[in-house]
């Protein structure tokens, strides 16, 4: 007889295909430790684990320590076993169950993966796993739920068929009871919560997963509607109405809802409810399969907060407009009522912004905040200032370091948290938020708000940098546009990038004609450039080619280069300039461009020529005047000589005895 079809199934109570679907990685062995049946997925990925093969030939017992033997396995069946497939290294984790009345053991296991990538590497997908298998990742919880619900529908259909058989065949009662116990065992092993109600929605049965999730036992839930027990003040009324309407109409549905455990813990539940009908189509029961998705919802909420804050900062032009939107987005995402922002001013924190929904009335608290200043360590803002960390207060009314406690209590505010905003590692401000419920600290949320604080700080840094840049650009434009110097900058290869108004006036070219199109060679004298290239070649000991290199060869060595050049205007006219060329370097010492500043020497040259002409005329006039004075002296001496011949005294005593002296000395 083929071992894969041996009669394990009647004792288990499920046909082979359904049992294989429920436990795709199971292994059944007989007393001789020979495999008699394996799950469908295990058969595919471990083909050597076939019926008729000794289990210790294909699997190694990794945990607990011991030797393969039927009696040892029975004795330790309550322990967690880890089997390693010898051929592939696949690890299976599970437990051995002794089948009542049989000399067989059933290993209910599943692969143990340390990385989700192993699933695809093994050629597996989610259809290869059972609904209860922990390998299904939290991020694929919806897909896992869908698979679980599909299997649950099959089980429910099986239960309906068995109930019909119970009504017509009393002799099968014991078999059905055994099967029910096996199904209950399966339901108890899953992490999902399962609830079975009657047609009126009152609880008939819950599994252990329900008790672990909610804290309520089956005895506490019998006859009660789950919603009446689990829903609370934070539960969305619209979702409750939708669920009630679907139940009233006898329809299945999916929903996510906020519930409360027996001990008051809030948790988010993803539930799928399906109706169960008898053979006559009458509604008899509802079955709900539920998963705790609190972690996923919390992660989504934190991401939503970061996204909304980023969007608020991106869509506003300045911090004054951004802060109210940031406070609003955080309050609305968390369901908190009041948000405030405090700005550090010297040694005090001053409240600069407050937000709350229009329907929320908190006049006492607003007044207390607007009239209070906090120093380091005092109140929630001061505490955040002192620690430089986010802070959480479950109930401000019982906090000894909360000066606004009375005002908060009067307006019904209880929970509070806040976070710092740093700009360049210096405290810039503090944001704080308040709600009407007593809230226990959420460490993951506080870490998120550390990130949000950095987002706001980076936004402020960017705004300040942009403002500084605008001021610098304004000053730069004023300098460039008002300067009487031609200022021209180029890229490293000489293409003009800046051509200021003075350069346009001097040369007659527009900026559009030059920027990105020409090099300074366009308005230089070619012969002059060639001559200068020859001078530099001799001076620098390397060839300097005529062209743009001629202007920057020395500047690129970090040496000053200022000399007189001839510029040629667009209309062909020429004029002299004094040109100073500088190379521009980045922080790594790489050349990023060049800057030339030229001063028109035309007027200076004209003034110098006038001065030279004036000096020449003065010199000529001086010579004329000197000649005239010499002639007068000679005449005076001649007159004295004539008088002397007739015996008369000299008429000009000043020239007596000065015949051989310089005229200037005789005056």
């Amino acid at each position: 007889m083929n071992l894969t079809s041996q009669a394990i199934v009647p004792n288990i109570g499920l046909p082979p295909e359904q049992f294989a679907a429920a436990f795709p990685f199971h292994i059944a062995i007989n007393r001789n430790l020979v495999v008699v049946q394996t799950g469908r997925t295990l058969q595919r990925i471990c083909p050597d684990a076939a019926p008729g093969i000794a289990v210790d030939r294909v699997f190694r017992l990794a945990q607990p320590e011991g030797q393969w033997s039927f009696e040892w396995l029975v004795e330790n069946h309550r322990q967690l076993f880890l089997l390693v497939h010898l051929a592939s290294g696949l690890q299976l984790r599970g437990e051995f169950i002794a089948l009542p009345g049989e000399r067989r053991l059933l290993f209910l296991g599943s692969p143990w993966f340390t990385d989700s990538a192993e699933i695809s590497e093994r050629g597996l997908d989610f259809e290869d796993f059972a609904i209860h298998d922990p390998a299904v990742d939290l991020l694929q919880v919806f897909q896992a739920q869908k698979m679980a619900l599909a299997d649950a529908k099959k089980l429910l259909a099986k239960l309906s068929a068995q109930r019909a058989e119970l009504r017509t065949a009393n002799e099968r009662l014991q078999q059905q009871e055994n099967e029910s116990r096996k199904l209950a065992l399966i339901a108890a092993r899953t992490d999902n919560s399962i609830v079975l109600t009657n047609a009126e929605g009152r609880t008939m049965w819950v599994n252990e997963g329900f008790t672990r999730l909610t804290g309520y036992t089956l005895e506490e839930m019998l006859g009660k509607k789950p919603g009446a027990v689990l829903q609370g003040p934070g539960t969305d009324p619209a979702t409750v109405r939708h669920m009630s309407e679907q139940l009233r109409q006898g329809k299945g549905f999916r929903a996510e809802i906020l519930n409360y455990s027996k001990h008051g813990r809030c948790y988010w539940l993803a539930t799928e409810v399906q109706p169960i009908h008898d053979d006559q189509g009458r509604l008899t029961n509802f079955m709900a399969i539920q998963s705790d998705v609190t972690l996923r919802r919390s992660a989504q909420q934190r991401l939503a907060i970061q996204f909304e804050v980023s969007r608020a900062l991106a869509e506003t032009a300045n911090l004054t407009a951004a802060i109210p939107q940031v406070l609003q987005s955080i309050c609305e995402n968390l369901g908190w009522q009041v948000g405030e922002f405090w700005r550090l001013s010297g040694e005090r924190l001053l409240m600069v912004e407050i937000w709350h929904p229009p329907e929320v009335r908190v006049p006492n608290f607003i007044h207390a905040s607007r009239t209070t200043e906090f120093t380091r360590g005092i109140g929630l803002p001061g505490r955040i200032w002192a620690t430089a960390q986010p802070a959480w207060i479950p109930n401000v009314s019982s906090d000894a370091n909360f000066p606004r406690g009375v005002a908060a209590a009067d307006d019904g505010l209880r929970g509070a948290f806040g976070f710092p905003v740093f700009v360049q590692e210096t405290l810039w401000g503090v944001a704080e938020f308040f709600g009407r419920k007593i809230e226990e600290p959420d460490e993951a949320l506080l870490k998120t708000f550390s990130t949000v604080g950095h987002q706001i700080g980076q936004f402020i840094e960017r705004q300040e940098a942009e403002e500084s840049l605008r001021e610098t650009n304004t000053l730069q434009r004023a300098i460039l546009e008002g300067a009487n110097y031609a200022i021209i900058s180029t890229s490293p290869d000489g293409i003009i990038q800046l051509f200021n108004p003075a350069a346009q006036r001097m040369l007659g070219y527009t900026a559009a004609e030059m920027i990105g199109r020409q090099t300074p060679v366009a308005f230089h004298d070619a012969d002059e450039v060639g001559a200068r290239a020859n001078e530099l070649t001799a001076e620098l000991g390397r060839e300097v080619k005529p062209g743009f290199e001629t202007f920057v060869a020395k500047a690129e060595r970090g040496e000053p280069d200022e000399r007189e050049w001839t510029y040629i205007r667009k209309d062909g006219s020429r004029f002299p300039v004094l040109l100073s060329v500088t190379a521009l370097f980045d922080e790594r010492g790489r050349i990023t461009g060049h800057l030339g500043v030229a001063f028109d020497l035309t007027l200076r040259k004209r003034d110098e020529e006038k001065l030279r002409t004036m000096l020449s005329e003065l010199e000529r006039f001086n010579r004329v005047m000197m000649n005239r004075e010499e002639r007068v002296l000679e005449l005076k001496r001649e007159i004295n000589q004539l008088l002397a011949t007739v015996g008369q005294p000299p008429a000009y005593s000043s020239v007596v005895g000065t015949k051989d002296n310089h005229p200037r000395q005789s005056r």
Side-chain angles (χ1 to χ4, degrees):
M1 184 171 98
N2 191 324
L3 288 171
T4 59
S5 61
Q6 288 183 357
I8 292 178
V9 174
N11 294 331
I12 297 176
L14 290 174
E17 61 276 7
Q18 290 191 359
F19 191 87
F23 301 99
F25 295 93
H26 79 272
I27 306 171
I29 60 175
N30 61 19
R31 181 174 181 78
N32 296 324
L33 303 182
V34 173
V35 176
V36 297
Q37 180 173 302
T38 57
R40 57 181 174 81
T41 304
L42 190 62
Q43 291 177 12
R44 178 166 61 81
I45 64 175
C46 300
D48 56 346
I53 301 297
V55 69
D56 58 354
R57 291 181 57 188
V58 291
F59 289 99
R60 174 173 62 84
L61 186 60
Q63 182 183 325
E65 295 184 358
Q67 299 295 326
W68 286 104
S69 73
F70 189 86
E71 291 74 13
W72 186 81
L73 293 175
V74 171
E75 181 181 349
N76 292 275
H77 73 281
R78 291 187 176 276
Q79 295 196 46
L80 179 67
F81 281 79
L82 183 64
L83 306 184
V84 180
H85 185 232
L86 296 176
S88 66
L90 177 69
Q91 301 183 71
L92 297 176
R93 185 170 63 170
E95 64 176 322
F96 280 96
I97 298 176
L99 299 179
E102 298 189 24
R103 303 294 289 170
R104 293 183 176 88
L105 290 174
L106 182 63
F107 177 73
L108 298 180
S110 64
W112 187 19
F113 295 120
T114 58
D115 189 339
S116 59
E118 289 188 57
I119 298 176
S120 58
E121 292 173 359
R122 297 280 183 184
L124 298 171
D125 55 36
F126 291 110
E127 285 72 20
D128 290 316
F129 295 90
I131 182 177
H132 54 79
D133 199 309
V136 180
D137 190 82
L138 179 61
L139 295 178
Q140 284 79 33
V141 65
F142 290 121
Q143 183 177 355
Q145 259 193 310
K146 183 177 179 181
M147 296 167 59
L149 289 170
D151 288 341
K153 289 177 184 177
K154 294 178 182 179
L155 293 175
L156 290 174
K158 180 69 176 178
L159 284 172
S160 298
Q162 289 170 349
R163 284 183 178 175
E165 291 176 7
L166 282 172
R167 288 192 296 269
T168 59
N170 190 53
E171 64 275 9
R172 297 178 59 192
L173 178 60
Q174 186 61 47
Q175 181 181 354
Q176 292 291 343
E177 289 177 353
N178 290 339
E179 185 173 25
S180 297
R181 283 195 295 271
K182 297 297 182 183
L183 291 174
L185 176 63
I186 295 172
R189 297 293 181 184
T190 182
D191 289 333
N192 289 334
S193 165
I194 301 176
V195 181
L196 184 67
T197 72
N198 60 18
E200 289 73 38
R202 298 189 178 278
T203 304
M204 298 176 62
W205 178 83
V206 297
N207 72 336
E208 293 180 15
F210 177 90
T211 301
R212 288 193 297 270
L213 178 63
T214 68
Y216 292 101
T217 63
L218 174 60
E219 291 74 19
E220 292 173 304
M221 293 299 299
L222 281 175
K224 298 177 182 177
K225 292 187 176 183
V229 177
L230 301 175
Q231 293 163 11
T235 305
D236 180 30
T239 303
V240 173
R241 287 193 297 270
H242 170 72
M243 295 171 62
S244 299
E245 182 61 22
Q246 296 300 103
L247 291 173
R248 188 184 66 78
Q249 297 181 19
K251 296 180 180 180
F253 62 87
R254 292 181 181 178
E256 288 192 6
I257 190 168
L258 182 68
N259 280 353
Y260 293 80
S261 72
K262 183 177 181 180
H263 304 293
R265 181 182 74 90
C266 299
Y267 63 94
W268 279 94
L269 198 67
T271 181
E272 181 162 348
V273 177
Q274 292 296 334
I276 302 173
H277 300 86
D278 61 16
D279 292 341
Q280 287 72 44
R282 292 174 299 189
L283 178 67
T284 59
N285 303 91
F286 287 99
M287 174 171 275
I289 298 181
Q290 305 166 330
S291 297
D292 185 350
V293 293
T294 304
L295 292 178
R296 176 178 60 78
R297 292 282 298 213
S298 297
Q300 289 176 340
Q301 183 186 57
R302 295 194 297 272
L303 288 174
I305 289 171
Q306 289 182 258
F307 173 77
E308 291 296 333
V309 169
S310 297
R311 187 173 69 174
L313 296 176
E315 293 179 350
T316 51
N318 54 65
L319 187 64
T320 303
I323 288 179
Q325 292 194 32
V326 169
L327 297 177
Q328 179 179 354
S329 63
I330 293 175
C331 284
E332 290 179 345
N333 272 281
L334 294 178
W336 289 53
Q337 282 67 48
V338 178
E340 296 182 345
F341 196 88
W342 298 78
R343 180 75 168 88
L344 184 63
S345 177
E347 293 299 319
R348 301 171 302 164
L349 282 167
L350 307 178
M351 202 269 284
V352 295
E353 190 62 60
I354 186 167
W355 182 91
H356 60 85
E359 66 275 11
V360 173
R361 302 285 298 168
V362 286
N364 298 305
F365 189 72
I366 292 176
H367 177 74
S369 295
R370 291 194 184 279
T371 56
T372 303
E373 298 176 357
F374 289 105
T375 56
R376 185 189 297 267
I378 303 302
L380 180 56
R383 186 182 316 178
I384 295 170
W385 179 8
T387 62
Q389 296 291 330
W392 191 293
I393 302 176
N395 185 359
V396 296
S397 298
S398 59
D399 190 89
N401 185 14
F402 194 83
R404 296 167 291 164
V406 174
D410 290 343
D411 288 339
L413 299 177
R414 297 291 181 267
F417 76 90
F419 59 87
V421 173
F422 290 95
V423 175
Q424 296 181 346
E425 300 183 357
T426 300
L427 185 77
W428 194 89
V430 171
E432 61 175 0
F433 300 87
F434 301 89
R436 296 205 181 280
K437 297 182 295 183
I438 296 176
E439 298 278 359
E440 292 303 317
D442 186 333
E443 294 299 327
L445 196 59
L446 287 178
K447 290 181 180 178
T448 296
F449 283 113
S450 289
T451 303
V452 170
H454 286 298
Q455 284 180 268
I456 299 173
Q458 289 170 359
F459 173 80
I460 296 169
E461 284 186 48
R462 188 167 61 252
Q463 288 285 310
E464 292 179 347
E466 290 174 355
E467 180 61 29
S468 176
L469 182 60
R470 280 193 294 270
E471 293 176 357
T472 301
N473 288 340
T474 301
L475 178 61
Q476 185 182 59
R477 282 195 302 272
I479 293 173
L480 292 176
E481 293 175 3
N484 289 322
Y485 295 87
I487 301 175
I488 302 170
S489 71
T490 73
S491 61
D493 57 356
I495 301 300
I496 294 174
Q497 305 296 314
L498 171 67
F499 201 73
N500 79 330
Q504 297 177 58
R505 291 192 300 271
M506 282 186 190
L507 291 163
Y509 293 99
T510 65
E513 290 177 296
M514 303 304 289
I515 293 176
R517 295 170 177 265
Q518 298 288 344
T519 74
V521 175
F523 44 81
H524 273 267
D525 183 291
D527 293 338
E528 196 173 71
V529 173
R532 178 58 177 163
N534 293 333
E535 291 176 7
L536 289 172
T537 297
E539 179 182 343
L540 301 179
R542 66 174 180 84
E543 182 183 6
V544 177
K545 296 180 180 179
F548 181 71
E549 184 183 359
T550 308
F551 308 126
V552 300
K554 294 188 69 174
E556 289 185 348
R557 293 160 57 98
E559 300 177 14
D561 191 357
E562 184 175 277
R563 63 181 287 106
E564 189 175 320
W565 291 89
T566 300
Y567 272 5
I568 304 175
R569 296 187 180 91
K570 185 178 180 180
D571 62 7
S573 60
R574 297 165 174 258
F575 64 99
V577 296
L578 182 65
L579 175 63
S580 176
V581 179
T582 305
L584 305 177
F585 297 89
D586 64 13
E587 64 278 1
R588 296 184 181 179
R590 297 176 300 188
I591 294 176
T592 59
H594 302 88
L595 180 67
V597 180
F599 176 70
D600 187 349
L601 296 177
T602 301
L603 293 178
R604 182 188 295 180
K605 291 280 188 180
R606 188 178 303 161
D607 291 341
E608 289 176 352
E609 181 62 29
K610 287 181 179 179
L611 181 60
R612 281 194 297 270
T613 301
M614 184 181 297
L615 290 174
S616 178
E617 287 295 320
L618 286 173
E619 185 177 354
R620 185 182 64 80
F621 178 75
N622 188 50
R623 286 198 301 270
V624 170
M625 293 302 294
M626 288 178 64
N627 290 336
R628 289 182 62 186
E629 184 177 356
E630 182 65 26
R631 181 60 182 157
V632 169
L633 291 175
E634 289 179 356
L635 287 174
K636 288 181 177 180
R637 283 195 291 268
E638 289 177 0
I639 291 171
N640 284 342
Q641 289 175 359
L642 289 174
L643 290 173
T645 58
V646 295
Q648 295 290 329
Y652 301 100
S653 58
S654 61
V655 296
V656 174
T658 62
K659 182 177 181 180
D660 297 326
N661 292 338
H662 190 276
R664 292 184 179 274
Q665 295 175 344
S666 64
R667 284 184 298 174

